[in-house]
Amino acid sequence: MRLAVAQIISSADPAGNLELIRDYAGQAKAAGAELVVFPEAAMRAFGHSLRDIAEPLDGPWAGEVRGIARELDIAIVAGMFTPGKDGRVRNTLLVTGPGVETSYDKVHLFDAFGFAESKTVDAGQTPVTFELNGTVFGLATCYDVRFPALFTANARAGAQVNIVCASWGAGEGKAEQWDLLVRARALDSTTFVVACGQGDPETAGAGPAGSAPTGIGHSAVITPLGSAVVALGGKPELAVVDIDPSFVDEVRSTLPVLANARQF
């Protein structure tokens, strides 16, 4: 399967961000990709109000993403915000394209490093997997990457690839933690990990928005044995890679960590 990782830097403008999605999805399709993954908060960057732009999955913003996917005949994963409970929003991944339509609400909220996501975001409750052209994918968002159980749950549900969409917070050691975590989750679950983060705003001449996690880049595609197929820097970039889902079965036959695992 050929897939693309679109490391964009989204802004406060949902309409402008749709144009970014259209541009990068078009490039991905031209390169032969079947799937293009965008980061968390592709609809609007963190550091701005989320409640005023949150809309249902059948609303106009998601509808535009569906239209792009349909026009280009490519599957798209992109982070958006949907209405939640008690005036909060859901941090949602929209998955749409030929033969696929689903969504995932971020389960683990980022109440860490001085940021309180739970003040404005309503947590999801369940893992989500989907199938595209015979390959099964699991979904995760940013802080989820610190919790191995979600990735192994997706793998036990059939996932050969785990997608992580992020807007990773900057700070001392954070890039090293991200790099370590995405590789560790591949090893935990013996899946490919497709980790797509927001690019670093400083590469575009803008600094972080206060304590808001606005991205550091470092998107990567990791094999089930923890090695990088591709690893990006901080600037906006599109990476197109080929993965062989059958390699997952090969790895699991020699390194059956899922079968050998015990519950305590």
Side-chain angles (χ1 to χ4, degrees):
M1 168 171 279
R2 179 165 292 182
L3 54 84
V5 176
Q7 181 171 283
I8 64 170
I9 299 175
S10 60
S11 69
D13 179 18
N17 295 330
L18 279 172
E19 291 310 306
L20 274 178
I21 290 173
R22 183 182 301 278
D23 178 20
Y24 277 75
Q27 293 180 51
K29 179 63 177 181
E34 302 167 61
L35 169 71
V36 57
V37 180
F38 289 88
E40 175 188 26
M43 184 185 199
R44 169 173 277 181
F46 286 117
H48 307 279
S49 171
L50 304 178
R51 185 177 178 182
D52 65 314
I53 54 93
E55 63 176 53
L57 288 163
D58 60 357
W61 196 88
E64 288 291 331
V65 177
R66 285 191 193 93
I68 294 168
R70 184 169 55 249
E71 174 188 334
L72 295 173
D73 192 34
I74 191 171
I76 294 175
V77 179
M80 62 176 294
F81 301 100
T82 57
K85 295 183 293 186
D86 303 322
R88 293 177 292 172
V89 303
R90 292 286 182 103
N91 188 339
T92 299
L93 295 181
L94 170 68
V95 184
T96 188
V100 61
E101 185 69 36
T102 192
S103 64
Y104 166 75
D105 293 327
K106 185 179 182 182
V107 171
H108 301 97
L109 300 185
F110 185 60
D111 289 356
F113 293 102
F115 190 79
E117 189 175 19
S118 62
K119 287 184 176 179
T120 56
V121 176
D122 180 25
Q125 300 296 322
T126 57
V128 173
T129 60
F130 68 93
E131 184 174 341
L132 178 67
N133 299 338
T135 299
V136 181
F137 295 81
L139 293 167
T141 303
C142 206
Y143 194 48
D144 282 335
V145 79
R146 294 186 182 271
F147 301 90
L150 176 60
F151 290 75
T152 55
N154 288 341
R156 294 185 190 284
Q160 299 145 298
V161 183
N162 271 301
I163 293 171
V164 189
C165 300
S167 185
W168 198 253
E172 184 178 356
K174 293 293 297 298
E176 291 82 1
Q177 291 173 33
W178 167 256
D179 293 339
L180 173 62
L181 287 162
V182 297
R183 295 177 68 180
R185 296 298 80 85
L187 289 165
D188 293 334
S189 58
T190 49
T191 62
F192 286 93
V193 168
V194 176
C196 181
Q198 290 271 350
D200 184 349
E202 292 187 0
T203 66
S211 63
T214 51
I216 62 167
H218 288 255
S219 299
V221 177
I222 309 297
T223 75
L225 291 176
S227 60
V229 179
V230 66
L232 303 184
K235 66 181 182 181
E237 190 173 352
L238 182 77
V240 180
V241 300
D242 293 313
I243 64 169
D244 182 0
S246 68
F247 184 57
V248 173
D249 293 334
E250 181 183 329
V251 170
R252 290 177 181 173
S253 70
T254 57
L255 184 62
V257 294
L258 293 172
N260 293 343
R262 297 292 180 266
Q263 302 299 317
F264 299 101

